[in-house]
């Protein structure tokens, strides 16, 4: 029984259970008897009270007669009767075998409330007796002690011996069952010990199948027998597969190698032995670098330290002995816990392919030389054909159609159309973007250079994304918004310069900055290159020049770099006095068009490209007739916002800091964060919790480089610092009380929905300042409404006063002071989006934000009514979903119209049936739109329904 401890524990548990149940049963029986005796004493007391109160003035004889009644038979008592005169009588009775009352005791029992008959009585119980008093209206008093009836247990009764006998019977049954199970386990263990994974060639049933065993033991025996047979079958199959695999590996046509985790070769096949003339010996320590070598240093280091490899790689190597080129495919294999156990290496001879590729590259270079030669002829061909054709066009345009007849006018129009068509085809075929154009074709007008910069950035955004670069755009607040120039030519200049900068940049960012240059702001010219600034009316303006600066940070393309510094000026104004260094043919092909147009517009281009600092191209245009219109409008509520920004590029952080300084926005901008930064930021937020509403602007490219890509630590960095940055980002995103805006160069659909759900808004690069300010005001509105009323300045004495300074101001007006101020600060209309789906809420709000509207959300019709009541002066339109819980859109619209509110309501539903459309218009909706939301249709509806 010692080896069957589970059966022992089962029997012990069963025995303890029976004893516990038996003890609880007897305890309940004894408690029931005790309670019954107590209740009998209470009944006797109440009978005595009833009998005594029937007599107005009970005498001692009356009391004796009462005690002879059957209800007092067999009850031990002591009753002290006290007459109003003070005469006292004592009545006692003790059951046989009980001790007599030793003393006369007057029970001290508080009387109860008077009854209807003005008689008083009370009693109390203890474990042995009942003590009580009865006081009559006549002045008679009774002091009573009643002994409880002792417990009398009749062990002969079945209630006491039957449970004990039943428990003994169940214990004997459990013991017999345990002994039977012990016998079955002994048979099963003996059968299991005789099983062998290699001894059985066929399935055999368990030996105790015909014996008296339970069904579970029979099934367990069959299962063990099947497992034994299956193990033997699997063992034979593994041997077959192992033999087959050895044959495949040994006779494979490609060299194959198995390498241990530390780089030691554990096996290579016969093909490897034949190629490298080395037989495999188990006692020899082979390394992969003993047979092959790489041409570049990083690959060679990887071959020497394979423990750093966690993914499959394909490397180009060559044999040390035969000098043949090989393509090496190395694949790590992992253990059950994810650690690298070794590597599988496959070698493929690509020597012939490499020679063919070199021959094709040589042919390609020859063809490229011919193409370059043809490109060199294109300028001459263009000038020879373009000049006479342009002369014809100029001659035709100078003619006055009014002096010709109808037939002559038709001929003139045909000639002009044909000439324009020929000029267009010539430009398309020869690439007019690479050559000069005539200055006489300019069209000078007032140009919004702020919008022009945005337009140019939109045109190159897709190319920048494909290149893996970031794009930044900043318009200096002090720069004039409108200048007189040629819109088309300026746009083409910026496009050419941006394309050149993007093409020449491999990694990092590209930025366009537009700012005004004051007195003598230009950098000094290089030696023998004096700058000539045209003396005209522009020198009298506050700004002489407008500078369009294009900069790239990061890695530049060496094949596209221009290390020579060029300065182009207006040669037409100084044809002989100021010699200009002429660029090479390559520079003409890249910047000739931009330089030519810059000269036509009276400006010049300055370009500087280095391998360390990246690319810098500056376009200077004269500031003719500037118009200073504000681009960034100041709002008082912006000073109550604390912008916390984490930017990926230093240049983008500088632009954002300049914008915040101009608009007086308290800002904390970082290009790298860690735990210390988070602690410092938490301290700032805590200090400004009552005055500033915090909001986070997170650069997705920084988040991606620190949490998703897991880059190698930079020089001077380590894994601890990288982990610190990732932890700091997690803490920053986990701050629930702070709204978050995600800024990314990637489209929103390509960003993880998990990260988007943690953010409240999304902005695309290049950053649109107007959208940023709108999001700042929208997302911080709930926090700013909790602040104290904003102080205003008394125009008469300059003293600051608040809305609460006026004692006669109504409380409701004081509470709405902040809301009214916020309403005045934002020009964009507010749209109430009533939608129960969180995903649809985000989609609708993002589309409305891109269209320039502010949004507020309600999850059902009931919330929409409450929101409309709270912000009825601010909400301009309602987008109403039709099917929602609590109160649907139709019911909510009926309630709004019943209040006499004529606010525009647009139905937004996934059902496009005629019945749904009629139901929406029947309850008073103004328009009907279907999901998914069409941006153009939504914009048209909003413009038609919202009053300016």
């Amino acid at each position: 029984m010692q080896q069957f401890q589970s059966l022992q524990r089962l029997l012990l548990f069963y025995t303890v259970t029976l004893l516990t149940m038996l003890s609880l049963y007897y305890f309940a029986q004894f408690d029931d008897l005790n309670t019954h005796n107590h209740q009998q004493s209470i009944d006797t007391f109440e009978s005595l009270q009833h009998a005594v109160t029937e007599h107005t003035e009970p005498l001692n004889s009356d009391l004796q007669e009462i005690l002879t009644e059957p209800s007092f038979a067999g009850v031990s008592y002591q009753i002290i009767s006290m007459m109003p005169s003070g005469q006292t009588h004592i009545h006692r009775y003790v059951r046989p075998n009980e001790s007599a009352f030793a003393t006369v005791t007057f029970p001290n029992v508080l009387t109860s409330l008077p009854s209807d008959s003005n008689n008083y009585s009370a009693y109390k119980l203890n474990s042995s007796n009942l003590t009580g008093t009865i006081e009559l209206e006549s002045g008679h008093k009774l002091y009573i002690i009643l002994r409880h009836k002792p417990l009398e247990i009749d062990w002969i009764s079945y209630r006491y011996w039957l449970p004990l006998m039943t428990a003994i019977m169940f214990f004997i049954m459990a013991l017999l069952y345990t002994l039977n199970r012990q016998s079955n386990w002994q048979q099963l263990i003996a059968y299991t010990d005789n099983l062998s994974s290699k001894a059985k060639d066929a399935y055999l049933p368990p030996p105790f199948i015909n014996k008296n065993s339970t069904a579970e033991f029979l099934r367990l025996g069959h299962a063990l027998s099947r497992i034994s047979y299956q193990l033997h079958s699997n063992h034979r199959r593994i041997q077959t597969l192992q033999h087959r695999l050895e044959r495949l590996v040994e006779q494979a046509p490609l060299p194959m190698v198995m390498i241990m985790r530390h780089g030691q070769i554990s096996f290579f096949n016969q093909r490897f032995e034949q190629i490298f003339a080395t037989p495999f010996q188990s006692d020899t320590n082979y390394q992969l670098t003993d047979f092959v070598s790489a041409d570049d240093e990083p690959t060679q280091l990887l071959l020497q330290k394979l423990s750093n490899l966690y993914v499959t790689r394909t490397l180009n190597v060559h044999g040390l002995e035969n000098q043949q080129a090989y393509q090496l495919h190395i694949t790590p294999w992992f253990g059950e816990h994810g650690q690298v156990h070794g590597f599988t290496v496959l070698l493929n001879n690509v020597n012939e392919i490499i020679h063919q590729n070199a021959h094709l590259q040589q042919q390609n270079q020859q063809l490229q030389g011919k193409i370059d030669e043809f490109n060199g002829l294109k300028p001459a061909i263009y000038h020879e054909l373009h000049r006479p054709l342009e002369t014809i066009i100029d001659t035709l345009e100078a003619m006055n159609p009014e002096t010709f007849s109808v037939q002559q006018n038709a001929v003139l129009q045909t000639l002009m159309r044909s000439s324009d068509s020929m000029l267009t085809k010539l430009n398309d075929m020869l690439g007019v973007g690479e050559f000069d154009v005539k200055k006489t074709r300019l069209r000078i007008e007032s140009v919004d250079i702020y919008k022009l910069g945005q337009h140019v950035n939109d045109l190159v955004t897709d190319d920048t994304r494909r290149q893996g670069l970031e794009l930044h755009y900043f318009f200096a607040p002090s720069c004039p918004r409108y200048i007189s120039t040629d819109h088309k030519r300026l746009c083409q200049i910026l496009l050419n310069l941006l394309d050149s900068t993007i093409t020449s940049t491999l990694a990092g960012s590209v930025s366009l900055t537009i700012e005004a240059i004051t007195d003598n702001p230009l950098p000094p010219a290089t030696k023998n290159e004096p700058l000539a600034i045209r003396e005209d009316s522009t020198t009298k303006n506050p700004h002489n020049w407008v500078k369009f600066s294009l900069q790239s940070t990061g890695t530049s393309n060496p094949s596209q770099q221009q290390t020579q510094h060029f300065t182009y000026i207006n040669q037409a104004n100084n044809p002989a006095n100021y010699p200009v260094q002429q660029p090479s043919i390559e520079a003409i092909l890249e910047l000739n068009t931009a330089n030519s147009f810059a000269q036509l517009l009276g400006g010049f281009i300055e370009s500087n490209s280095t391998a360390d600092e990246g690319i810098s191209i500056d376009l200077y245009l004269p500031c003719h007739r500037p118009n200073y219109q504000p681009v960034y409008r100041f709002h008082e509520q912006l000073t109550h916002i604390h912008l916390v920004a984490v930017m990926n590029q230093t240049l983008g952080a500088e632009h954002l800091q300049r914008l915040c300084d101009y608009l007086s926005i308290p800002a904390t901008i970082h290009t790298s964060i860690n735990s210390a930064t988070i602690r410092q930021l938490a301290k700032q937020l805590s200090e400004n919790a009552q005055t500033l509403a915090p909001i986070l602007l997170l650069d997705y490219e920084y988040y991606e480089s620190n949490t998703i890509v897991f880059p190698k630590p930079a020089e001077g960095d380590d894994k601890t610092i990288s982990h610190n940055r990732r932890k700091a980002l997690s803490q920053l995103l986990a701050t629930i009380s702070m709204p978050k805006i995600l800024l990314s160069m990637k489209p929103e659909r390509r960003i993880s929905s998990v990260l988007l759900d943690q953010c409240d808004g999304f902005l695309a690069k290049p950053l649109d300042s107007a959208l940023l300010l709108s999001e700042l005001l929208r997302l911080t509105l709930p926090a700013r409404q909790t602040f104290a009323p904003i102080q205003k300045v008394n125009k008469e004495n300059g003293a600051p006063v608040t809305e609460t300074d006026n004692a006669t101001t109504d409380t409701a007006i004081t509470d709405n002071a902040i809301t009214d101020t916020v309403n005045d600060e934002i020009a964009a209309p507010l749209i109430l989006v009533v939608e129960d789906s969180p995903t649809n809420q985000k989609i609708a709000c993002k589309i409305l934000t891109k269209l320039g509207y502010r949004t507020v959300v309600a999850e059902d019709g009931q919330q929409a009514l409450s929101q409309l009541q709270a912000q009825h002066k601010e909400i301009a339109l309602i987008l109403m979903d039709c099917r929602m819980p609590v109160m649907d859109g139709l019911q909510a619209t009926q309630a709004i119209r019943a209040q006499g509110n004529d606010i525009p309501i647009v139905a937004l539903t996934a059902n496009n049936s005629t019945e749904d459309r009629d139901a929406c218009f029947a309850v008073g909706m103004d328009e009907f739109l279907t999901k998914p939301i069409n941006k153009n249709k939504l914009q048209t509806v909003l413009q038609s329904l919202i009053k300016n």
Side-chain angles (χ1 to χ4, degrees):
M1 195 68 178
Q2 187 67 24
Q3 58 181 339
F4 302 103
Q5 296 183 3
S6 60
L7 294 177
Q8 290 180 350
R9 289 192 294 268
L10 181 62
L11 182 61
L12 179 61
F13 174 76
Y14 190 78
T15 303
V16 171
T17 303
L18 285 176
L19 292 176
T20 302
M21 294 179 63
L22 193 63
S23 300
L24 291 176
Y25 174 80
Y26 282 117
F27 175 78
Q29 288 290 335
F30 295 154
D31 183 70
D32 184 52
L33 286 175
N34 193 25
T35 303
H36 176 72
N37 293 338
H38 288 186
Q39 186 62 39
Q40 187 176 6
S41 298
I42 294 173
D43 294 341
T44 303
F45 177 81
E46 291 178 350
S47 299
L48 177 62
Q49 176 185 359
H50 178 71
V52 170
T53 54
E54 287 183 351
H55 300 274
T56 304
E57 294 181 358
L59 301 177
N60 186 39
S61 59
D62 297 332
L63 184 58
Q64 290 179 351
E65 183 179 355
I66 293 172
L67 293 176
T68 58
E69 293 180 358
S71 59
F72 291 94
V75 177
S76 298
Y77 57 84
Q78 175 181 278
I79 299 176
I80 302 173
S81 175
M82 183 176 292
M83 302 295 181
S85 60
Q87 185 179 1
T88 302
H89 301 278
I90 299 175
H91 303 275
R92 291 177 177 174
Y93 174 76
V94 179
R95 284 185 291 265
N97 300 325
E98 284 189 5
S99 60
F101 290 96
T103 59
V104 177
T105 304
F106 293 88
N108 185 15
V109 180
L110 296 177
T111 58
S112 61
L113 294 176
S115 61
D116 294 340
S117 59
N118 296 323
N119 297 323
Y120 300 88
S121 64
Y123 67 89
K124 63 180 180 180
L125 293 172
N126 55 30
S127 59
S128 59
N129 53 40
L130 180 149
T131 59
T133 59
I134 299 175
E135 183 176 355
L136 302 180
E137 185 179 2
S138 59
H140 292 77
K141 293 183 179 180
L142 298 179
Y143 298 93
I144 304 167
I145 298 177
L146 300 179
R147 286 182 178 177
H148 300 315
K149 186 178 181 180
L151 295 178
E152 296 178 358
I153 301 175
D154 185 9
W155 292 103
I156 302 176
S157 175
Y158 73 91
R159 291 188 299 174
Y160 299 101
W161 61 263
L162 182 60
L164 180 62
M165 297 303 296
T166 303
I168 295 174
M169 180 182 64
F170 279 124
F171 175 76
I172 294 173
M173 292 174 60
L175 182 61
L176 294 176
Y177 177 78
T178 304
L179 294 175
N180 185 29
R181 277 301 179 96
Q182 177 184 354
S183 176
N184 291 336
W185 277 113
Q186 288 175 347
Q187 294 177 3
L188 186 62
I189 292 174
Y191 170 69
T192 305
D193 293 337
N194 294 328
L195 292 177
S196 174
S197 60
K198 298 182 180 179
K200 292 184 2 177
D201 294 332
Y203 170 74
L204 294 176
F208 51 86
I209 188 172
N210 296 323
K211 296 182 179 180
N212 187 16
S213 299
T214 57
E216 58 268 22
F217 278 92
L218 293 177
R219 288 196 295 269
L220 186 58
H222 285 294
L224 289 173
S225 183
R226 287 194 297 269
I227 291 173
S228 176
Y229 176 72
Q230 189 65 35
L231 286 175
H232 182 59
S233 300
N234 291 340
H235 176 73
R236 289 186 299 174
R237 180 172 177 80
I238 289 172
Q239 287 183 330
T240 303
L241 293 176
Q242 183 178 2
H243 177 70
R244 188 181 304 168
L245 183 61
E246 290 176 355
R247 300 274 298 179
L248 289 174
V249 172
E250 287 294 338
Q251 299 182 6
L254 295 178
M256 301 178 65
V257 182
M258 295 291 294
I259 303 178
M260 302 302 293
R261 182 170 62 90
H262 299 292
Q264 181 180 356
I265 295 179
S266 60
F267 168 80
F268 51 76
N269 63 353
Q270 295 179 0
R271 184 59 178 166
F272 188 90
E273 295 178 354
Q274 296 172 2
I275 292 177
F276 295 97
T278 303
F280 180 77
Q281 298 178 0
S282 59
D283 57 346
T284 304
N285 186 6
Y286 299 102
Q287 299 288 333
L288 187 60
T289 52
D290 297 337
F291 304 97
V292 296
S293 177
D295 295 330
D296 56 311
E297 184 177 355
T299 305
Q300 185 66 22
L301 292 176
L302 181 62
L303 293 177
Q304 294 175 354
K305 295 183 179 180
L306 294 177
S307 57
N308 297 329
L309 184 64
Y310 294 95
V311 296
T312 301
R313 295 287 299 274
T314 300
L315 309 174
N316 294 324
V317 299
H318 61 271
L320 294 177
E321 297 293 336
N322 54 19
Q323 294 299 318
Q324 294 286 317
Y326 294 94
Q327 203 172 49
L328 185 145
H329 303 274
I330 181 167
T331 303
W333 48 279
F334 302 91
E336 60 181 0
H337 300 294
Q339 70 275 19
V340 176
H341 278 192
F343 305 90
T344 304
V345 177
L346 212 65
L347 292 169
N348 188 16
N349 194 321
V350 293
N351 193 65
E352 184 178 355
I353 297 176
I354 290 179
H355 286 304
Q356 292 178 357
N357 188 30
H359 179 66
L360 292 175
Q361 287 182 353
Q362 183 178 3
Q363 292 180 348
N364 187 31
Q365 291 177 357
Q366 295 175 356
L367 294 175
Q368 187 63 38
K370 294 181 180 180
I371 293 175
D372 294 339
E373 183 180 355
F374 174 73
N375 289 334
L377 295 175
K378 286 170 67 177
I381 297 174
Y382 180 80
H383 285 291
E384 292 298 329
L385 296 179
H386 185 272
R387 288 175 180 173
L389 186 57
E390 197 171 53
T391 303
I392 295 174
I393 295 175
D394 291 339
T395 303
L396 294 176
E397 287 183 349
M399 294 182 179
N400 187 4
E402 297 179 357
T403 62
F404 297 150
S405 62
V406 176
Q407 185 177 2
Q408 290 173 337
N409 279 329
V411 174
L412 178 62
Q413 295 298 326
T414 302
L415 290 175
M416 294 180 66
R417 285 195 300 270
S418 300
S419 300
D420 291 335
S421 178
M422 290 176 63
L423 181 61
T424 302
K425 291 185 180 297
L426 179 64
N427 293 339
D428 293 339
M429 287 188 295
L430 297 181
V432 70
E434 300 175 359
F435 308 107
D436 294 336
V437 294
K438 289 184 62 178
K439 185 175 180 179
T440 56
R441 313 298 293 182
L442 294 178
R443 181 180 178 183
I444 304 300
E445 59 185 354
S446 181
V447 178
D448 186 349
I449 56 177
Y450 170 70
K451 290 292 185 182
L452 178 64
Q454 287 184 325
H455 174 66
V456 171
N457 279 282
D458 292 340
L459 294 177
V460 299
T461 298
D462 292 338
D463 294 337
T464 311
R465 287 174 179 168
R466 285 192 292 269
Q467 192 82 4
L469 305 175
E470 295 185 36
L471 186 59
H472 300 282
Y473 172 60
F474 181 71
F475 189 88
S478 60
C479 183
R481 181 166 181 173
Y482 294 88
I483 62 172
S484 293
T485 185
D486 188 299
H487 181 279
K488 181 178 180 182
R489 303 309 180 196
L490 178 56
C491 181
Q492 189 168 357
I493 292 173
L494 295 179
L495 275 177
N496 288 350
L497 296 181
L498 269 176
D499 287 337
S500 176
T501 307
I502 293 172
T503 305
S504 304
T505 306
L506 294 179
S509 66
V510 176
S511 69
L512 171 60
T513 305
I514 304 176
E515 54 187 345
I517 304 298
T518 55
D519 297 335
N520 196 20
L522 301 178
T526 58
K527 188 176 182 180
N528 299 327
E529 287 186 336
L531 292 176
I533 301 178
R534 185 168 54 188
E535 295 292 340
D536 59 2
S537 60
T538 58
T539 58
K540 301 178 182 178
N541 293 328
H543 299 100
N544 303 105
W545 300 85
V546 175
K547 177 183 175 183
F548 299 82
S549 179
L550 292 97
Q551 294 180 335
S552 69
T553 61
T555 306
S556 301
N557 189 350
S559 63
Q560 299 291 338
Q561 287 180 5
Q562 300 175 10
T563 57
Q564 189 177 8
H565 184 82
F566 296 110
T567 301
Y568 303 104
I569 61 174
N570 191 350
Q571 300 182 30
N573 296 333
N574 302 276
N577 297 333
Y578 300 100
V580 179
Q581 178 182 355
Q582 298 297 329
S584 61
I585 294 297
E586 290 78 5
I588 292 177
L589 294 175
E590 293 181 359
L591 299 175
N592 186 57
T593 301
N595 174 52
S596 300
F597 286 152
Q599 295 179 29
L600 291 176
L601 298 176
F604 60 93
I605 295 176
E606 189 175 66
S607 172
N608 186 18
S609 303
T610 61
D612 298 332
E613 299 179 359
I615 302 171
S616 176
I617 303 176
D618 297 329
L619 166 65
Y620 294 90
L621 291 183
C623 189
H624 290 298
R625 292 183 292 276
N627 185 355
Y628 294 86
Q629 291 191 9
V631 176
Y632 314 112
R633 298 185 180 274
F634 174 78
H635 300 302
E636 185 180 358
Q637 288 298 318
L638 290 176
T639 60
H640 299 280
I641 298 174
H642 183 190
L643 175 61
V644 180
V646 181
M647 305 297 292
N648 189 41
Q649 296 291 339
T650 305
L651 192 58
E654 293 175 357
H655 291 168
L656 184 60
Q657 187 64 57
R658 290 179 63 182
L659 177 65
C660 293
D661 293 342
Y662 175 74
L663 295 175
S664 301
I665 301 176
T668 303
I669 302 175
H670 302 279
T671 55
S672 178
I673 61 172
N674 50 33
S675 298
T677 308
I678 295 299
R679 289 192 295 270
Q680 182 180 2
L681 179 61
K683 182 178 179 182
Q684 292 180 357
L685 296 179
S686 177
E687 293 175 354
N688 302 326
Q690 301 300 323
T691 57
L692 297 178
I695 186 170
L696 172 66
L697 178 65
L698 176 60
D699 195 326
Y700 175 76
E701 276 66 35
Y702 178 84
Y703 174 84
E704 183 181 36
S705 63
N706 284 277
T707 61
I708 300 177
V709 182
F710 295 101
K712 293 183 179 179
E715 185 177 356
D717 204 349
D718 55 19
K719 294 183 179 179
T720 303
I721 297 178
S722 300
H723 175 72
N724 195 358
R725 292 173 181 168
R726 293 194 294 271
K727 183 179 179 181
L729 279 173
S730 301
Q731 293 176 351
L732 202 58
L733 287 172
T735 307
I736 302 176
S737 60
M738 182 167 55
K740 305 168 189 67
I741 304 176
L742 193 63
L743 175 66
S744 176
M745 196 68 199
K746 291 184 177 181
E748 189 175 359
R749 63 180 180 275
R750 294 181 57 187
I751 298 178
S752 170
S753 59
V754 177
L755 178 60
L756 288 175
D757 291 340
Q758 293 180 274
C759 300
D760 304 281
F762 178 85
L763 294 175
K765 294 181 182 177
L767 179 61
D768 190 329
S769 302
L771 290 179
L772 173 63
L773 298 179
S774 176
E775 286 291 274
L776 294 181
L777 293 171
R778 180 180 71 87
L779 295 177
T780 59
L781 179 60
R784 286 184 287 112
Q785 286 179 337
T786 62
F787 294 161
I790 303 171
Q791 286 189 345
K792 299 181 179 179
V793 178
N794 194 323
K795 296 182 179 180
E796 296 180 359
N797 52 18
V801 296
T802 63
E803 293 291 339
T804 56
D805 289 338
N806 190 352
T808 60
T809 304
D810 187 77
T811 304
I813 299 178
T814 303
D815 293 339
N816 294 330
I818 300 174
T819 305
D820 295 337
T821 304
V822 174
N823 291 339
D824 295 337
E825 76 181 293
I826 305 172
L830 180 64
I831 308 296
L832 173 58
V833 179
V834 187
E835 173 65 58
D836 61 327
S837 171
T839 302
N840 292 339
Q841 290 175 4
K842 291 184 178 180
I843 293 174
C845 291
K846 289 177 181 178
I847 292 177
L848 290 170
T849 301
K850 292 179 180 179
L851 293 177
Y853 296 94
R854 296 178 297 127
T855 58
V856 63
V857 177
E859 296 183 355
D860 53 60
Q862 190 63 45
Q863 291 187 12
L865 294 177
S866 302
Q867 195 73 29
L868 182 60
Q869 184 178 4
Q871 297 179 271
H872 65 281
K873 293 182 179 180
E874 190 177 0
I875 297 175
L877 184 139
I878 301 176
L879 282 180
M880 183 78 72
D881 187 17
C882 290
R883 287 176 171 81
M884 295 178 295
V886 183
M887 178 185 289
D888 59 25
L890 301 179
Q891 296 172 348
T893 304
Q894 286 179 335
I896 293 173
R897 295 303 186 225
Q899 297 172 359
N901 195 335
D902 59 350
I903 185 172
I905 302 177
V906 178
L908 190 61
T909 178
N911 301 312
N912 193 17
S913 62
T914 305
E915 293 79 5
D916 291 327
R917 185 183 296 269
D918 294 340
C920 292
F921 287 124
V923 296
M925 293 189 180
D926 299 277
E927 194 52 76
F928 185 90
L929 292 176
T930 58
K931 301 176 185 177
I933 303 174
N934 185 293
K935 182 178 178 181
N936 295 330
K937 291 183 179 180
L938 177 62
Q939 184 176 13
T940 302
V941 171
L942 296 181
Q943 290 176 352
S944 62
L945 293 179
I946 296 178
K947 300 178 181 179
N948 294 327

